[in-house]
Amino acid sequence: FSGCELSVTGLAFQQQDIGVSACATTALWSALQKTADAEPIAAMTPVQITQLATQYSLPSGRPMPSEGLDVGQMCNAVQASGASPNLFRVVNNHEQARYILRSAVLSGFAPVLAIRNERGGGHAVVAVGLKEQEIHDPADVHFHQHTVKGLYIHDDRLGPNLRCTYNVPQKSNASLSLEIELRGNGKVDEWELLYILVPMHPKIRLSFADIEKIASSLWTRVVSIHKLVSKTSDQPIPQNPIGFDTRILRAHKYIERLICHGNGVDAGHIDRISNKVAPARYLAVIRVSGPFFSEFDVVIDSTGTITNPNFLAVVPVQPAPNGLRLMGRFLAEKVLNCPFVD
């Protein structure tokens, strides 16, 4: 229209045909399409996925007609595709499940969700987007998963981009329920989330659960300084919560993110950051925000391990006086032993 190019970004969808693919195969097919956007893995048909998933395990006696895949077979298919299966078992831990789902979707992955209810038995869908809302959390520290109220999913039985709302329990040691909206009648179907499977590059050794552990280890330091500043400062300190936002990004995508959403990060700063983080293929990025310091990113080489994480840099991501950058500098020099790229 008038010489303007219009583009739409989305995730491929198809319905199961029962003969060669059931719900798990179809969900994997969609998820691997998303993984192929970032990595040169071979595009596979549902037939190939079913065959690769069942080459070592045939509980029904033959791969086709397909009777569905179990979680182990789904991991086999992801591994055979050239990606690596990052599996998280959701057992009475809805908070971590919500954290992993938010981080994975915002990182550009399409998690496959293994779900179950009494009427439908086992089922698999793929998450394609988030339903976020603004929540003023009174707690001192929180992860941003609390701003997510649900997902958008592809369900091979019901259609693409369905609304799926979290039914968040009151207790932290409870499982997460998903309410999938049924189009046409306004009703919902409730399912229990059992597993989250994220196809990732094989060189990414830090899982989203590992990154949460690293971010959690920063809590004590940040909160203690927050409380100290609140007591000693002559000026009132806003009591907004301290936020941790975590993602796994390609190094060049992280630089693009700073350029496009850097709130005034200059070209010289971008060049200094590039020299520090460019050698890593994938970066784990923990963005920390709070009421008494400027936002900064803790950048980690995701090809390391949780037992020995490789902190590459702490990067301030918004212009601010030096006094507001003391938190990031302190963590870099005294806690993480990595450069503070100012």
Side-chain angles (χ1 to χ4, degrees):
F1 179 74
S2 300
C4 297
E5 290 188 6
L6 303 177
S7 62
V8 176
T9 301
L11 186 63
F13 169 81
Q14 67 171 312
Q15 292 179 301
Q16 62 174 286
D17 61 11
I18 300 177
V20 299
S21 64
C23 59
T25 299
T26 307
L28 284 174
W29 179 83
S30 291
L32 291 171
Q33 295 276 334
K34 188 66 174 177
T35 306
D37 289 344
E39 294 297 335
I41 66 172
M44 296 194 300
T45 65
V47 174
Q48 292 172 317
I49 292 174
T50 301
Q51 290 174 336
L52 291 171
T54 56
Q55 61 181 332
Y56 301 118
S57 175
L58 289 171
S60 62
R62 55 180 178 174
M64 290 176 278
S66 178
E67 295 185 4
L69 307 177
D70 59 30
V71 173
Q73 291 172 325
M74 293 166 67
C75 290
N76 287 338
V78 172
Q79 189 75 33
S81 73
S84 181
N86 189 328
L87 183 67
F88 176 74
R89 184 184 180 192
V90 184
V91 180
N92 300 331
N93 194 345
H94 69 87
E95 291 185 352
Q96 192 173 31
R98 291 159 59 203
Y99 158 79
I100 290 173
L101 288 171
R102 182 183 190 276
S103 297
V105 172
L106 291 181
S107 297
F109 299 101
V112 176
L113 313 181
I115 56 180
R116 179 185 63 191
N117 69 7
E118 294 181 357
R119 295 185 306 279
H123 188 41
V125 297
V126 59
V128 299
L130 299 174
K131 294 174 61 179
E132 292 196 279
Q133 63 180 354
E134 190 66 28
I135 295 179
H136 299 285
D137 195 324
D140 287 335
V141 184
H142 75 290
F143 284 94
H144 287 287
Q145 83 269 19
H146 294 299
T147 65
V148 180
K149 60 185 295 187
L151 303 166
Y152 288 92
I153 63 170
H154 282 356
D155 187 324
D156 64 311
R157 306 166 310 150
L158 303 175
N161 302 314
L162 295 174
R163 292 192 184 99
C164 173
T165 304
Y166 294 155
N167 185 0
V168 180
Q170 297 296 322
K171 297 180 180 179
S172 60
N173 61 342
S175 298
L176 183 63
S177 295
L178 306 178
E179 295 180 347
I180 301 176
E181 183 177 305
L182 304 179
R183 287 176 176 160
N185 58 14
K187 296 181 180 180
V188 297
D189 203 2
E190 186 166 345
W191 297 79
E192 180 186 3
L193 179 60
L194 302 179
Y195 292 94
I196 301 171
L197 173 60
V198 187
M200 303 172 70
H201 190 277
K203 289 188 176 180
I204 300 177
R205 297 185 180 90
L206 287 178
S207 67
F208 289 106
D210 292 335
I211 300 170
E212 185 217 15
K213 292 178 183 177
I214 295 173
S216 297
S217 69
L218 301 176
W219 281 15
T220 304
R221 300 279 186 173
V222 174
V223 174
S224 62
I225 295 174
H226 177 227
K227 292 180 178 179
L228 179 63
V229 172
S230 300
K231 291 180 180 179
T232 60
S233 176
D234 295 332
Q235 302 296 326
I237 302 296
Q239 293 302 310
N240 295 2
I242 299 167
F244 290 79
D245 179 87
T246 62
R247 308 191 187 183
I248 295 177
L249 302 169
R250 287 287 297 269
H252 71 276
K253 288 292 185 181
Y254 173 62
I255 300 301
E256 289 178 8
R257 182 188 182 195
L258 291 179
I259 294 173
C260 297
H261 308 288
N263 299 323
V265 177
D266 58 57
H269 193 192
I270 293 293
D271 186 57
R272 292 190 295 274
I273 296 169
S274 300
N275 291 333
K276 294 294 182 183
V277 305
R281 183 180 181 88
Y282 278 91
L283 304 173
V285 181
I286 304 172
R287 177 159 293 183
V288 187
S289 59
F292 63 96
F293 57 86
S294 59
E295 284 189 355
F296 60 87
D297 289 341
V298 178
V299 184
I300 311 166
D301 184 353
S302 68
T303 62
T305 63
I306 184 62
T307 56
N308 189 26
N310 180 17
F311 295 97
L312 298 176
V314 172
V315 179
V317 294
Q318 59 183 181
N322 286 331
L324 293 179
R325 296 192 174 189
L326 290 178
M327 172 65 77
R329 188 180 296 276
F330 174 82
L331 288 176
E333 298 175 354
K334 303 299 182 182
V335 180
L336 306 178
N337 296 318
C338 65
F340 181 74
V341 186
D342 203 349

